[in-house]
Amino acid sequence: MLKSQAYDFLNQLRSEPQGWQICFSLALREPKPSEVVRHVSLDIVNNAIKVGHLSDQDLVYLKDQILAYIGNVYGPSKQDNVQPDPIAIQNKITQTITNLFMVLYASQWASFFHDFLRLTSADGLSAKNHAPGVNLYLRILISVHDEIADVLVSRSPEEQRRDNDLKDLVRQRDTTMIASSWHAILSEWKSSDSTIVRLCLTAIGRWVSWTDISLAVNDSLLKLLFEYLSPQHVLDGNSGITESRDAAIEAFIDILGKKMSAKDKLELIEVLRINDAVSQLVNSRELSEMRSTATYDTDLAEGVAKLVNNTVSDIVKALEGSQENDPVFQHGVTQLKNFLPQVLRFLSDEYDEICSTVIPCLTDILTLLRKRSNSITALASDILPMLPLILEVVIAKMKYDETASWGHDDTQTDEAEFQDLRKRLHNLQKAIAAVDEKMYIENVRNVVVSTFEKFRTQNGRVDWRELELAMYEMDLFGDIAYKNGGLYSKTKPVTPAAEQLIGMMFKLVETDVASFSHPAIQLQYMVICERYYVFFEANSRFINAALENFVRFVHHDHVKVRLRSWYLFQRFVKHVRQHVGDVAETVIQALGDLLPIKAEFSEETLEDDNEDISSSDNDQSANARFNSQLYLYEAIGCICSARSIAVDNQVMLLRLVSGPLFSDLESHLRLAKAGDKLAILQVHHLIMALGTLARGFADGNPANNSLSAAPSAKAISGEFIQTAEAVLVALEALRSSFEVREASRFAFTRLIAPVGSQILPQLPKWIEGLLSETSTKDEMAMFIKVLDQVVFNFKSEIYEILNTLLTPFLQRVFAGVAEPIAGTDDEIQLVELKREYLGFLLVILNNNLESVLVSDSNQPIFSTVISTIEHLAKDINDFQTAKLAFSVLTRMVITWGGPGLEVPGSTVTNGHVANGNPQPRLPGFDQFMMSTFSQLCWAIPSNPAFDPKDAQGKQVLGEAAVLQKAILSRTGQQYLKWLRDVELSGMGMDTITIDEYLNALCTYDTKGFQRFFQNLMQRSIR
């Protein structure tokens, strides 16, 4: 409560125009208050300056007081007993001074820089020998730059103009004096105060970006910078020398970042002697002798790598903007050639952060080479020959380093960072391949094949890192080999890359790399087999050996390999299923010990009973293990579906797997019905497994891959009907359980394909179980989607079933729509349910099943159907649903409105047009269309909250116009008369507008009338 009151007081003080005065006095008074109080007080003063609370007189007063305070605390005449401000307060005061600069420098404080420069001399002479004043002066210079010239700060056009004007004034008035002060400061403090040196070099680097570079960068500065970089300087210096050296490197980077022409930039690189600076640093003891030791200076290496990266990127930009016969181009190529060894040196650095620093410039080089590789220039002759070396370094960096381990929990962060680096290095490899694909193919092939050959000749005694690298490169090689869509064309390799990859695959399987014991190798083996399954299809003699390896790996002791292998096994089997018939039973039996399902609560579920049992972020959690286990069931379904297996054997194999699931399901139902949560979870898992087995069989059997395909052989479909019945028993017993309903809906969806239309008699039971009183709106919406597919695919057989279940089904949907909304998620689910309901009606109408809506069984609910559509068509808060509702109404008009009539195409006067009488398929539907449907077209535009310019609202008006055209096509003259005499005149529309409206309705096509109706509504509502 007290803290809240304090915040309220500060906010009130901040908004008070005169609040800054007490805060300013508080911040600078003696004795000084606490640092927090001073910090907050100065922050309020700074805010007052920025928002304009201070008058010109106030600003001048504030300036004078600040200068007086600064002179007393930081000036050469300060008393010895005056303590300097803490760094945080110095920064805050610097910010206040900078804010005053922004508003006073142009007209009322032209001596700004001179006033603070005076603080730097203890004796009032030219020597800048007063450390407190020098420190503050340099901080102010850096702060001013950051305020008016930092390119990373977003500014409004007005702010940008203001800052540009200030920079022009500074350049005109003070840059010569300021540049001179830098040289004097560095000369005074270069060997005695590294903090001042760092601040001064930082100020130079930043100001150079927008001032005359010649004022700051001269021989004396360069000499000083190179002194800081020299090994002797580091060895003989004090503890602050490293700080000065790093500041010198940053100064080189900042100076090099100044925008200029390509010619000038290349000359600047020469003037700054960047190559000499980099060479001096690379050959220093810290980066050469200590490179492979624990004392290797990684910060220094990263700083030099950044300098190399920025320099090379600038060279490449200069080359991109130059013609090949231009001297600038020749100059740039020479410089690029000089820097490439340094790029490769840092790219090959064992520390990934350092390697990553030069990847951008190497990407630029490769992009330039790709664009210019066909030209006969110095670029091609000098740089292209280095591509193999670049590729060699990139591939070497792909390798796990000697200290790396694999698969341990405590190395997950390091592993993630390394894989991220691999992705970036992979992009470099692709760029190299784009420049010289032939060289890339040959070099990668040599790496892979030579490693496999070494594995063979040394009887498997190779470093796992070396073997993993070869296999990883083989995996990446597929990007090139598959570039044209595959490996084979009529049993022949489609490209040279495909041919080499096929050769690598032969080496992989013939040398039995899968026998290597390291888990990383075994996992990579499975990844390769799954990705290049086409090789096994073309060389089926290797499939059984691959399956044998997969079966071994799915039992792996390492949990990461084991769980991942279950997924890869399923993927591999799905591709080669037609070749596994002779070993199907052997494989399935070998998997038997992995199939028993044992439900476990995750730690999150134990802590929170409301936790969704299907979610977990832990790859080794109970939920993750079960989700991976489902891949085994899907793989078995695929194996069982192989056409080379006799139907009787397929049935036998399915029973071998589903039988234990049925027994387990039956044994857990009693406990589950009694409310045992673990038993309910077990039932959920068992149903999911049965559904996944069905999915695998359907996916593996192209003849039944779509819902509309012919059902499986009778014996096969009988097995899956038994599965459906078992799931229904569990669903009927546990329909109040969300988890069981969720699993049952999953199983129902997957059982449709193998069972076919034989599932239709069960449909009422499925609806009763899946749409229980406790079902959520989301569940209803998802089930309606499934039902849409069932209706579409079995439209010729579903009428009787649909006729029986439609009324209770719609009643449950209406009850769900009518339920009160509890929260945002519930509101989103309600919108989805409404749209799925309307979509379901469209499926019925579009598949010639409309009579089911008005049959004797469903006639009583038909009026409710119409009223719900009317209600949704008026919903101004959900235009997408309203648009869909109009689409349903239009479809009803077309379906039940009778045959189309000749639509008048000439000007209508007084509604006298003879074009036939309506012949609706439902008695009285013509009058109903006019009296009910037509008037709905005006419901949304007549709503006071409707905006006719809203894009989605205009779409609804377009659908309303389509509805009116449809009604006209079925009722003709009667509709025109109705509009003139009843509907339009009843709305108060004048005669001229009515004539215009009816003429547009008759003469325009659908799109034309849509535009007319939208425009009319805009005119009317405006």
Side-chain angles (χ1 to χ4, degrees):
M1 181 65 180
L2 188 60
K3 183 182 289 188
S4 176
Q5 290 176 343
Y7 280 127
D8 291 341
F9 170 74
L10 290 177
N11 289 330
Q12 182 180 356
L13 195 60
R14 185 184 298 271
S15 60
E16 172 60 43
Q18 301 304 319
W20 66 272
Q21 295 178 348
I22 187 172
C23 291
F24 181 67
S25 300
L26 188 62
L28 304 187
R29 78 175 188 187
E30 291 289 345
K32 293 182 175 67
S34 69
E35 185 174 336
V36 171
V37 171
R38 298 184 71 196
H39 191 280
V40 172
S41 298
L42 286 170
D43 188 65
I44 291 174
V45 172
N46 289 331
N47 178 72
I49 298 172
K50 284 198 166 188
V51 300
H53 284 171
L54 279 71
S55 65
D56 289 347
Q57 184 178 354
D58 291 334
L59 290 169
V60 172
Y61 166 79
L62 192 59
K63 177 201 78 170
D64 293 339
Q65 294 301 310
I66 283 278
L67 281 175
Y69 175 82
I70 294 299
N72 291 332
V73 177
Y74 298 93
S77 59
K78 79 179 187 69
Q79 301 297 318
D80 293 338
N81 61 347
V82 176
Q83 295 297 317
D85 293 315
I87 294 297
I89 299 302
Q90 289 187 41
N91 292 336
K92 214 65 185 173
I93 291 175
T94 300
Q95 184 181 348
T96 305
I97 293 170
T98 304
N99 290 333
L100 289 172
F101 165 84
M102 298 295 293
V103 294
L104 294 178
Y105 179 73
S107 58
Q108 293 176 284
W109 199 358
S111 62
F112 177 86
F113 294 106
H114 294 270
D115 290 342
F116 292 105
L117 183 59
R118 293 191 189 100
L119 304 174
T120 64
S121 300
D123 51 9
L125 301 177
S126 60
K128 311 304 178 188
N129 53 4
H130 183 61
V134 172
N135 259 293
L136 181 65
Y137 171 68
L138 293 174
R139 288 178 184 276
I140 291 171
L141 291 181
I142 294 170
S143 179
V144 167
H145 161 83
D146 292 345
E147 187 67 31
I148 67 174
D150 190 343
V151 295
L152 299 180
V153 175
S154 177
R155 297 176 174 85
S156 67
E158 182 181 351
E159 290 172 334
Q160 189 64 59
R161 284 192 297 271
R162 177 204 64 190
D163 293 348
N164 289 340
D165 291 342
L166 284 172
K167 285 188 289 186
D168 289 340
L169 274 176
V170 173
R171 282 190 285 257
Q172 177 185 337
R173 292 175 177 174
D174 294 312
T175 51
T176 301
M177 178 269 294
I178 292 171
S180 177
S181 73
W182 293 331
H183 295 297
I185 290 170
L186 287 174
S187 178
E188 182 70 34
W189 299 98
K190 64 181 179 181
S191 302
S192 56
D193 193 320
S194 60
T195 300
I196 288 178
V197 170
R198 176 181 59 80
L199 287 172
C200 189
L201 291 178
T202 299
I204 292 172
R206 297 189 183 179
W207 277 62
V208 157
S209 66
W210 55 279
T211 58
D212 186 352
I213 191 171
S214 64
L215 294 175
V217 180
N218 53 28
D219 290 340
S220 62
L221 176 65
L222 291 178
K223 181 180 178 181
L224 185 62
L225 292 177
F226 273 91
E227 284 182 17
Y228 289 135
L229 301 182
S230 68
Q232 189 64 36
H233 180 73
V234 175
L235 288 173
D236 297 343
N238 56 40
S239 58
I241 287 300
T242 298
E243 185 179 6
S244 300
R245 181 199 60 200
D246 294 343
I249 295 172
E250 282 296 325
F252 274 117
I253 293 172
D254 289 338
I255 294 169
L256 192 64
K258 184 175 178 63
K259 292 183 179 180
M260 56 184 66
S261 68
K263 180 176 180 295
D264 290 343
K265 180 57 66 79
L266 296 181
E267 290 179 356
L268 178 63
I269 293 171
E270 294 285 355
V271 169
L272 294 177
R273 295 165 50 204
I274 301 292
N275 195 29
D276 292 343
V278 170
S279 298
Q280 184 170 309
L281 289 164
V282 167
N283 294 324
S284 67
R285 179 172 174 269
E286 291 85 350
L287 298 189
S288 57
E289 296 177 22
M290 299 165 63
R291 180 173 178 180
S292 300
T293 68
T295 55
Y296 180 50
D297 193 338
T298 56
D299 291 337
L300 173 61
E302 192 168 351
V304 180
K306 182 180 178 182
L307 176 58
V308 170
N309 179 77
N310 292 8
T311 304
V312 172
S313 291
D314 283 338
I315 294 172
V316 172
K317 289 177 183 176
L319 290 171
E320 287 177 340
S322 306
Q323 298 299 319
E324 295 172 6
N325 56 357
D326 191 329
V328 172
F329 189 86
Q330 305 300 323
H331 189 192
V333 170
T334 301
Q335 288 188 338
L336 183 59
K337 185 178 180 181
N338 292 336
F339 275 98
L340 257 180
Q342 308 294 7
V343 173
L344 296 181
R345 182 261 179 253
F346 289 108
L347 184 70
S348 62
D349 197 285
E350 64 177 296
Y351 287 90
D352 295 345
E353 297 85 354
I354 298 168
C355 166
S356 299
T357 303
V358 296
I359 287 178
C361 76
L362 189 54
T363 302
D364 293 340
I365 293 172
L366 294 171
T367 302
L368 176 67
L369 287 174
R370 178 176 57 82
K371 294 177 179 178
R372 304 286 186 104
S373 60
N374 294 328
S375 57
I376 309 300
T377 64
L379 182 67
S381 60
D382 292 346
I383 308 301
L384 280 177
M386 298 188 71
L387 269 184
L389 179 58
I390 295 174
L391 179 60
E392 180 183 341
V393 174
V394 171
I395 292 176
K397 275 303 297 181
M398 290 276 199
K399 184 180 177 182
Y400 280 92
D401 64 45
E402 299 302 321
T403 62
S405 57
W406 188 92
H408 300 295
D409 290 342
D410 57 354
T411 62
Q412 287 184 358
T413 301
D414 292 340
E415 175 70 16
E417 291 174 351
F418 178 59
Q419 293 304 327
D420 182 65
L421 175 63
R422 274 186 158 184
K423 291 178 182 178
R424 301 179 68 188
L425 292 170
H426 179 210
N427 289 332
L428 288 180
Q429 287 194 204
K430 290 192 291 186
I432 293 171
V435 176
D436 191 344
E437 184 173 301
K438 183 178 180 181
M439 180 277 297
Y440 172 81
I441 292 171
E442 181 180 352
N443 284 29
V444 173
R445 182 257 179 204
N446 290 341
V447 169
V448 174
V449 172
S450 63
T451 305
F452 290 164
E453 187 63 21
K454 182 179 180 181
F455 174 84
R456 184 187 66 81
T457 58
Q458 297 184 5
N459 297 319
R461 290 190 294 272
V462 297
D463 189 326
W464 72 268
R465 299 169 183 83
E466 188 176 350
L467 192 55
E468 194 277 342
L469 174 64
M471 298 177 74
Y472 185 71
E473 286 294 332
M474 188 175 170
D475 184 20
L476 299 182
F477 194 81
D479 292 348
I480 302 296
Y482 273 108
K483 189 166 59 175
N484 294 327
L487 293 181
Y488 294 95
S489 175
K490 298 180 179 178
T491 72
K492 299 293 183 181
V494 293
T495 62
E499 182 179 6
Q500 293 300 330
L501 179 58
I502 292 167
M504 296 180 211
M505 287 298 297
F506 275 113
K507 274 288 185 183
L508 176 78
V509 296
E510 290 171 350
T511 55
D512 194 22
V513 172
S515 64
F516 196 80
S517 59
H518 195 279
I521 306 306
Q522 296 166 341
L523 184 56
Q524 193 65 53
Y525 169 83
M526 290 184 286
V527 169
I528 289 173
C529 288
E530 188 279 323
R531 183 173 190 189
Y532 304 133
Y533 68 89
V534 175
F535 168 83
F536 291 95
E537 289 183 324
N539 301 276
S540 57
R541 65 186 183 278
F542 295 118
I543 290 179
N544 286 354
L547 285 173
E548 186 177 340
N549 290 325
F550 268 100
V551 169
R552 180 159 52 92
F553 297 149
V554 297
H555 292 85
H556 207 284
D557 292 335
H558 197 293
V559 65
K560 180 178 179 180
V561 176
R562 184 170 66 251
L563 297 187
R564 180 66 174 165
S565 69
W566 294 353
Y567 166 75
L568 294 170
F569 174 66
Q570 180 270 326
R571 296 287 301 170
F572 181 71
V573 165
K574 181 177 180 179
H575 295 308
V576 301
R577 59 185 176 269
Q578 300 306 335
H579 302 279
V580 302
D582 56 335
V583 295
E585 184 174 356
T586 303
V587 172
I588 292 174
Q589 288 178 339
L591 300 175
D593 60 317
L594 301 174
L595 297 181
I597 291 173
K598 183 181 179 182
E600 300 176 63
F601 287 126
S602 64
E603 292 182 6
E604 294 87 350
T605 306
L606 291 173
E607 294 171 2
D608 182 0
D609 288 341
N610 295 322
E611 179 76 14
D612 182 353
I613 66 167
S614 63
S615 65
S616 175
D617 293 331
N618 185 354
D619 287 342
Q620 299 176 19
S621 68
N623 293 331
R625 184 186 185 282
F626 169 67
N627 290 332
S628 296
Q629 193 177 18
L630 290 177
Y631 289 120
L632 295 177
Y633 281 96
E634 188 168 355
I636 291 172
C638 276
I639 294 172
C640 292
S641 71
R643 290 190 293 271
S644 58
I645 303 175
V647 172
D648 290 345
N649 287 338
Q650 287 181 318
V651 172
M652 181 270 293
L653 293 174
L654 287 171
R655 289 177 178 174
L656 186 68
V657 179
S658 61
L661 296 177
F662 292 153
S663 301
D664 202 5
L665 185 62
E666 183 179 8
S667 65
H668 281 84
L669 270 181
R670 181 178 58 81
L671 288 173
K673 286 192 285 187
D676 187 306
K677 292 183 178 179
L678 190 59
I680 293 173
L681 183 60
Q682 181 75 8
V683 170
H684 166 275
H685 284 11
L686 293 167
I687 295 174
M688 291 291 292
L690 289 167
T692 304
L693 181 67
R695 176 168 68 181
F697 190 91
D699 288 346
N701 194 332
N704 298 303
N705 202 28
S706 66
L707 295 177
S708 59
S712 307
K714 189 174 182 180
I716 298 294
S717 61
E719 288 301 309
F720 288 110
I721 288 174
Q722 185 179 353
T723 298
E725 291 172 348
V727 174
L728 277 174
V729 170
L731 178 60
E732 290 171 357
L734 301 170
R735 59 183 300 191
S736 62
S737 166
F738 170 80
E739 290 78 16
V740 172
R741 293 196 307 272
E742 179 185 50
S744 299
R745 184 175 63 251
F746 171 87
F748 171 69
T749 305
R750 274 70 188 177
L751 285 165
I752 293 171
V755 173
S757 62
Q758 296 181 61
I759 205 169
L760 294 180
Q762 296 179 345
L763 202 53
K765 291 184 178 180
W766 285 107
I767 292 176
E768 183 180 356
L770 294 175
L771 299 185
S772 71
E773 292 77 7
T774 56
S775 295
T776 65
K777 298 177 181 65
D778 192 42
E779 287 182 81
M780 294 184 200
M782 287 190 288
F783 182 74
I784 294 174
K785 288 182 181 179
V786 178
L787 197 57
D788 288 346
Q789 291 296 313
V790 173
V791 172
F792 176 78
N793 288 284
F794 303 120
K795 54 192 171 188
S796 61
E797 303 162 275
I798 200 174
Y799 180 85
E800 292 301 329
I801 297 291
L802 189 60
N803 189 44
T804 302
L805 61 82
L806 185 63
T807 292
F809 169 69
L810 291 179
Q811 286 173 337
R812 184 65 197 95
V813 173
F814 295 156
V817 172
E819 289 174 358
I821 296 174
T824 304
D825 290 345
D826 207 28
E827 185 176 357
I828 293 172
Q829 292 179 11
L830 176 60
V831 170
E832 186 66 20
L833 177 58
K834 291 175 180 178
R835 294 177 186 174
E836 291 301 330
Y837 159 67
L838 293 172
F840 176 69
L841 295 178
L842 278 176
V843 169
I844 291 177
L845 293 167
N846 289 332
N847 287 282
N848 300 318
L849 292 168
E850 65 277 0
S851 58
V852 77
L853 293 170
V854 292
S855 67
D856 292 341
S857 301
N858 301 308
Q859 184 67 47
I861 205 172
F862 183 63
S863 60
T864 307
V865 171
I866 295 296
S867 63
T868 57
I869 300 172
E870 291 180 41
H871 174 75
L872 296 176
K874 299 175 184 178
D875 191 350
I876 197 170
N877 296 314
D878 184 2
F879 285 137
Q880 289 299 314
T881 300
K883 177 183 174 184
L884 190 58
F886 275 109
S887 297
V888 174
L889 294 173
T890 301
R891 191 64 203 174
M892 286 182 170
V893 168
I894 294 171
T895 302
W896 288 315
L901 302 179
E902 180 184 351
V903 178
S906 57
T907 301
V908 180
T909 304
N910 298 323
H912 295 301
V913 177
N915 60 345
N917 295 318
Q919 302 175 37
R921 292 177 57 190
L922 294 179
F925 194 71
D926 52 341
Q927 293 298 317
F928 187 72
M929 290 187 292
M930 294 186 292
S931 62
T932 303
F933 289 3
S934 181
Q935 292 191 359
L936 284 174
C937 299
W938 307 94
I940 281 185
S942 63
N943 190 310
F946 176 68
D947 179 6
K949 295 181 181 179
D950 183 279
Q952 291 188 335
K954 290 179 68 174
Q955 291 180 357
V956 177
L957 294 180
E959 287 300 318
V962 173
L963 176 60
Q964 294 175 76
K965 290 289 288 186
I967 296 173
L968 176 65
S969 70
R970 264 48 182 185
T971 57
Q973 178 189 357
Q974 287 189 16
Y975 187 42
L976 296 173
K977 182 174 177 58
W978 167 270
L979 288 172
R980 179 179 294 279
D981 297 343
V982 180
E983 189 168 306
L984 300 181
S985 58
M987 293 165 48
M989 190 178 291
D990 61 79
T991 303
I992 296 176
T993 305
I994 291 176
D995 287 341
E996 179 189 7
Y997 190 89
L998 297 181
N999 281 326
L1001 181 61
C1002 292
T1003 57
Y1004 290 164
D1005 62 10
T1006 300
K1007 287 186 177 180
F1009 185 65
Q1010 284 179 308
R1011 289 191 295 269
F1012 170 82
F1013 190 62
Q1014 292 164 347
N1015 293 334
L1016 177 64
M1017 293 303 99
Q1018 287 191 35
R1019 296 201 315 265
S1020 303
I1021 299 174
R1022 188 180 302 144

